[in-house]
Amino acid sequence: MLAAERRNVILARIQSEKRVIVTELSKEFDVSEETIRRDIEKLSNEGIAIKTYGGALSNTTTQTDLPYNTRKKTNVELKQKIAEKVATMIKDGDRIMLDASSTAIYVTRQIKTRKNITVITNSVEIMLELADKTGWTILSTGGSLREGSYSLYGSSAEKMIRDHHVDIAICSAKGLDSRMGITDSNEKDAEMKKAIFNAANTKVLAIDSTKFDNMSFIKVCDLR
């Protein structure tokens, strides 16, 4: 296993179990404890983990808004499984909206074999991913680029979304709670997700179980 792959597995473990132990990881991956410490050091420098004596703790909560490149490397296996499931809902000729979440880029990669798809997105990375795709219509929301991300937001982006209607909207979120509904950590992202959901016949919330029974800062919409 490559070092980057090992760190992704360790990162997923920290996300799901909230803590890891160096000695256990060393045995699991059949590498030295020093190698695992270097992995944890790198994750700590990226702000994902907190180094502790003999291990590491999760440094992310439903209130944390991590940089996009960091989020894209967390829970990779779960996001790929979610993307595979979401892809089964999308047919040739569909019109879809995708938010700028890290999960949405995995969905995009899963549906690239579809034909005659129209995509509306506020994600710069999704537009780059589809730049060489022929036979599709790719529409950007426009708007302002949010610092530390590849997402566009603002009144002009929201207006563009409101002026269109699609078959399916796919968004992620930071929290899912029976009382508060769907929540996110950033007001700008929450407003974009709300507009995207309102513009679609079918609304797909693409999140993994670590978000269940959690509340973040800003409400996106009710569960209904």
Side-chain angles (χ1 to χ4, degrees):
M1 180 181 289
L2 297 175
E5 295 174 330
R6 185 179 61 248
R7 284 193 294 271
N8 283 338
V9 174
I10 294 172
L11 180 54
R13 188 75 52 79
I14 292 173
Q15 290 286 306
S16 61
E17 300 178 7
K18 307 304 179 186
R19 67 189 296 268
V20 293
I21 298 172
V22 169
T23 54
E24 293 178 356
L25 293 174
S26 174
K27 293 176 183 177
E28 178 179 345
F29 293 108
D30 193 25
V31 296
S32 69
E33 292 185 9
E34 184 58 35
T35 295
I36 298 298
R37 290 192 187 94
R38 286 196 297 269
D39 290 336
I40 290 174
E41 176 76 25
K42 184 171 179 59
L43 295 176
S44 176
N45 291 339
E46 292 179 358
I48 308 168
I50 300 172
K51 287 193 303 181
T52 62
Y53 180 77
L57 299 174
S58 172
N59 192 33
T60 62
T61 70
T62 55
Q63 313 301 328
T64 305
D65 202 13
L66 293 171
Y68 178 84
N69 283 332
T70 299
R71 287 187 284 118
K72 193 169 65 171
K73 292 184 289 186
T74 63
N75 292 341
V76 171
E77 184 178 355
L78 291 176
K79 290 174 183 177
Q80 289 173 335
K81 289 180 178 179
I82 289 169
E84 291 170 5
K85 181 68 174 179
V86 172
T88 66
M89 306 177 190
I90 299 171
K91 308 181 300 296
D92 291 350
D94 275 349
R95 298 163 300 174
I96 67 174
M97 284 190 186
L98 293 160
D99 72 350
S101 64
S102 56
T103 303
I105 192 67
Y106 289 98
V107 174
T108 302
R109 291 167 182 166
Q110 283 291 325
I111 64 172
K112 289 181 77 173
T113 57
R114 302 293 189 276
K115 298 178 181 178
N116 193 31
I117 298 293
T118 296
V119 174
I120 300 174
T121 185
N122 67 319
S123 167
V124 175
E125 183 166 17
I126 287 176
M127 286 184 282
L128 292 173
E129 179 73 25
L130 297 174
D132 61 348
K133 187 66 184 173
T134 59
W136 285 29
T137 300
I138 315 298
L139 301 175
S140 167
T141 62
S144 302
L145 182 66
R146 189 162 75 80
E147 184 179 357
S149 75
Y150 291 89
S151 64
L152 302 169
Y153 71 95
S155 58
S156 59
E158 291 173 32
K159 181 180 184 304
M160 193 275 186
I161 291 171
R162 288 195 300 269
D163 287 343
H164 291 78
H165 185 78
V166 296
D167 302 299
I168 301 176
I170 299 146
C171 290
S172 188
K174 292 289 177 62
L176 176 67
D177 177 78
S178 59
R179 181 175 63 84
M180 191 67 173
I182 301 165
T183 54
D184 212 85
S185 60
N186 181 281
E187 184 175 5
K188 295 170 183 176
D189 286 342
E191 289 301 314
M192 290 298 295
K193 295 173 195 289
K194 187 182 301 182
I196 290 171
F197 273 150
N198 286 338
N201 290 332
T202 300
K203 310 167 199 335
V204 178
L205 180 66
I207 62 172
D208 64 73
S209 59
T210 64
K211 313 293 179 60
F212 294 177
D213 300 320
N214 282 319
M215 287 188 287
S216 195
F217 184 55
I218 302 288
K219 183 172 183 175
V220 176
C221 61
D222 292 322
L223 286 177
R224 62 179 175 81

